Amino acid sequence: MKRNLVYILCAVALLVLIFGFATGTMAASSTTLHIYGVFPPNPKQAEALQKGFQAIHPDVTLKWHRFLDERFIESFMAARTAGEPIDVVALNGQDLRFFATSGMLENLTPFVKNKEAYYKIGIDPYTIGGKLWALPGLSPGVVSMGLYYNKLIFNKYGLTPPETYADMVKIARTLRSHNVEPLVHEGGVTYMWPLWYFFTFAQTSKNRSVERTADILEGKGKFTDADSMEAMRAIQQFAKDRVFITGVNSMSRDQAAQAFMNGKAAMWVAGSWMNPQFIQKAKEEPKIFQPGRTHFPILVEGVIPEAPGGPPPAIGIYRGSKNKDLAKDLVLYLAGPEATEIVASLDQFGRGAGYALPEVKGAPGELNELTRKDFPRTVVWLDWFWPPEITRVFQTEIQAVVGLQRKPEDAMLNIQKEFDRLVARGYKFSGVVETTAAE
């Protein structure tokens, strides 16, 4: 009796199995790909990207893990140590060199056969040591930074956008005489302070900031050289001349944005990614805020004021992924034309929002008036070349310099000492590719 029951159960199981295969009703095995990044898509983009990738791999689900730029490495390493599943990373370009040289990324060179589909600014910064470690994607394109100002405040006090640093000081004095703060900055976020060195060093190096950075990292120069010293002195001069908002070193990002867009401060050095919010605010409260954008004030006669910037997230394969073939397909998809179209068309501020230069040739989107004129003068952020230890010491030293707690000369000496320690421990620079947005 028991034997007959076993035969019956086996026959039923076999029929179910055969019927399931014949009708396609068997539950398929599913895989979740985990993407750790600083630039996750908005909900509509995420849903569309999920559907698009499932057209290639129907049984794959995408799970996005988002962290703030300034905390990404710390958060990522904690997840890695805890053994959390990680397949793909969407990095700030600043972190790419660390991830590549630390052996945490797969070399993409064998898989990418269409480099010519990208503008140089969109792909060259992700090539280190002759190998391609990431592709650009998940945003409308290359962004740049500039000096934004509130036209209403400038018009009220008869001011014009500053051309030179002397103009900037005069504007600051006029504004303070009317109890208006001149220039806001999110100084409480130390992560953001190096951008000031990018602006000033671009001029003190005579428009050779990337080349001079390579010289220093290769040991052919020093952070204590005259042009670097002059760049740090220029930053402190902004503080001495009271150009920065009062209490700048304690301001958060939100506080800086609110002070600028609510008419409490007249200027802000910000990225083009803020353009959509500026334009929206101007529509909502046109009597309080009308944005304009200009170049960083000229500090050195005869140079071109350049703007730091760079391509969108660096999307790469985490070497510890247990789904490397699927991760490879996902990276190629997220950096491809279909995903680029999805991101542009479903941008929360409108198609492409006009704040970025597409990194893929023929991609949708165009620059708006707040961004267009500065892109030919955009060069890659210098901390994309620095080792992370140098980036961190720049962050804290500049904050101390602006707080008038450190002499510029001592700050640069501290930075050089940290670099010397890295070299003594075996640091070796792997080279740069100098690229501007004009390319």
Side-chain angles (χ1 to χ4, degrees):
M1 185 69 178
K2 291 181 179 179
R3 182 178 299 174
N4 290 338
L5 180 60
V6 170
Y7 287 155
I8 291 171
L9 292 174
C10 288
V12 171
L14 181 61
L15 286 172
V16 171
L17 186 64
I18 294 172
F19 181 77
F21 276 120
T23 61
T25 59
M26 289 296 292
S29 60
S30 62
T31 301
T32 298
L33 290 181
H34 294 264
I35 306 104
Y36 278 64
V38 293
F39 296 95
N42 64 45
K44 290 184 179 180
Q45 291 169 333
E47 182 180 359
L49 291 171
Q50 174 74 74
K51 290 180 179 178
F53 191 66
Q54 284 186 332
I56 307 170
H57 294 287
D59 305 319
V60 175
T61 300
L62 307 181
K63 184 173 179 60
W64 305 87
H65 304 262
R66 193 253 182 179
F67 302 97
L68 293 175
D69 295 50
E70 59 267 26
R71 297 179 181 173
F72 180 76
I73 290 183
E74 176 187 350
S75 302
F76 177 90
M77 296 303 285
R80 181 175 182 246
T81 301
E84 297 291 337
I86 305 170
D87 299 292
V88 170
V89 292
L91 303 167
N92 185 310
Q94 176 193 117
D95 298 329
L96 176 68
R97 188 171 293 268
F98 169 70
F99 272 74
T101 58
S102 298
M104 290 191 286
L105 296 180
E106 289 287 333
N107 175 18
L108 295 186
T109 308
F111 312 128
V112 180
K113 308 299 182 183
N114 62 335
K115 287 185 180 181
E116 66 282 353
Y118 300 89
Y119 291 109
K120 288 174 65 63
I121 187 69
I123 198 168
D124 279 356
Y126 302 153
T127 302
I128 301 170
K131 297 177 181 179
L132 181 64
W133 299 100
L135 287 173
L138 287 181
S139 87
V142 180
V143 293
S144 76
M145 306 196 77
L147 177 63
Y148 290 85
Y149 61 97
N150 189 336
K151 293 180 180 179
L152 296 181
I153 294 177
F154 271 61
N155 291 341
K156 181 177 181 179
Y157 300 114
L159 303 172
T160 57
E163 284 291 320
T164 67
Y165 181 70
D167 296 337
M168 178 71 91
V169 173
K170 291 178 182 178
I171 290 170
R173 289 172 180 169
T174 298
L175 292 171
R176 285 196 176 280
S177 71
H178 294 282
N179 297 316
V180 177
E181 294 284 358
L183 178 69
V184 72
H185 177 69
E186 57 271 56
V189 185
T190 58
Y191 185 88
M192 297 300 291
W193 274 119
L195 73 88
W196 283 86
Y197 179 82
F198 307 156
F199 276 111
T200 60
F201 190 51
Q203 297 192 35
T204 61
S205 66
K206 306 295 178 62
N207 297 127
R208 298 171 62 247
S209 59
V210 173
E211 181 181 339
R212 285 287 295 124
T213 296
D215 287 344
I216 294 169
L217 297 178
E218 290 171 354
K220 300 175 184 176
K222 291 182 178 294
F223 286 108
T224 51
D225 289 344
D227 51 359
S228 291
M229 287 285 195
E230 187 181 354
M232 188 64 81
R233 291 190 191 103
I235 296 172
Q236 190 173 74
Q237 199 61 46
F238 275 81
K240 287 183 175 180
D241 290 328
R242 301 187 66 208
V243 175
F244 288 120
I245 190 171
T246 305
V248 63
N249 269 336
S250 63
M251 295 207 75
S252 68
R253 276 199 182 94
D254 287 344
Q255 288 172 332
Q258 291 304 313
F260 180 58
M261 289 191 286
N262 289 330
K264 305 301 182 183
M267 295 174 284
W268 188 17
V269 173
S272 58
W273 55 86
M274 291 298 300
N275 287 9
Q277 295 181 49
F278 292 160
I279 293 171
Q280 181 172 307
K281 179 70 174 182
K283 291 179 180 178
E284 294 172 352
E285 300 189 70
K287 295 183 179 181
I288 294 177
F289 183 70
Q290 289 294 327
R293 172 171 162 147
T294 187
H295 60 75
F296 196 78
I298 297 173
L299 308 171
V300 179
E301 187 176 352
V303 303
I304 298 172
E306 294 174 332
I315 305 175
I317 302 170
Y318 175 55
R319 183 164 286 182
S321 170
K322 296 180 180 179
N323 306 290
K324 288 184 182 178
D325 287 340
L326 288 174
K328 178 199 72 175
D329 289 350
L330 178 58
V331 169
L332 295 176
Y333 173 75
L334 293 177
E338 179 180 326
T340 300
E341 165 66 17
I342 287 172
V343 170
S345 62
L346 296 178
D347 189 286
Q348 61 180 322
F349 294 104
R351 186 181 183 84
Y355 61 88
L357 181 72
E359 74 281 353
V360 179
K361 295 177 182 177
E366 62 180 31
L367 302 178
N368 61 34
E369 63 177 344
L370 284 178
T371 308
R372 188 179 301 114
K373 66 179 181 179
D374 275 341
F375 264 97
R377 297 182 286 196
T378 300
V379 295
V380 175
W381 288 293
L382 300 182
D383 57 0
W384 285 25
F385 307 124
W386 296 339
E389 295 86 351
I390 294 301
T391 299
R392 286 193 290 271
V393 72
F394 256 105
Q395 292 168 358
T396 56
E397 290 296 325
I398 293 178
Q399 189 181 52
V401 164
V402 170
L404 305 182
Q405 298 170 331
R406 185 94 75 242
K407 294 180 179 180
E409 296 79 7
D410 292 338
M412 298 312 296
L413 181 60
N414 290 339
I415 293 168
Q416 182 60 43
K417 286 180 178 178
E418 178 62 24
F419 184 68
D420 291 339
R421 284 191 285 268
L422 290 176
V423 172
R425 294 199 298 264
Y427 170 80
K428 187 177 181 180
F429 183 54
S430 55
V432 303
V433 177
E434 183 170 5
T435 309
T436 68
E439 300 179 274

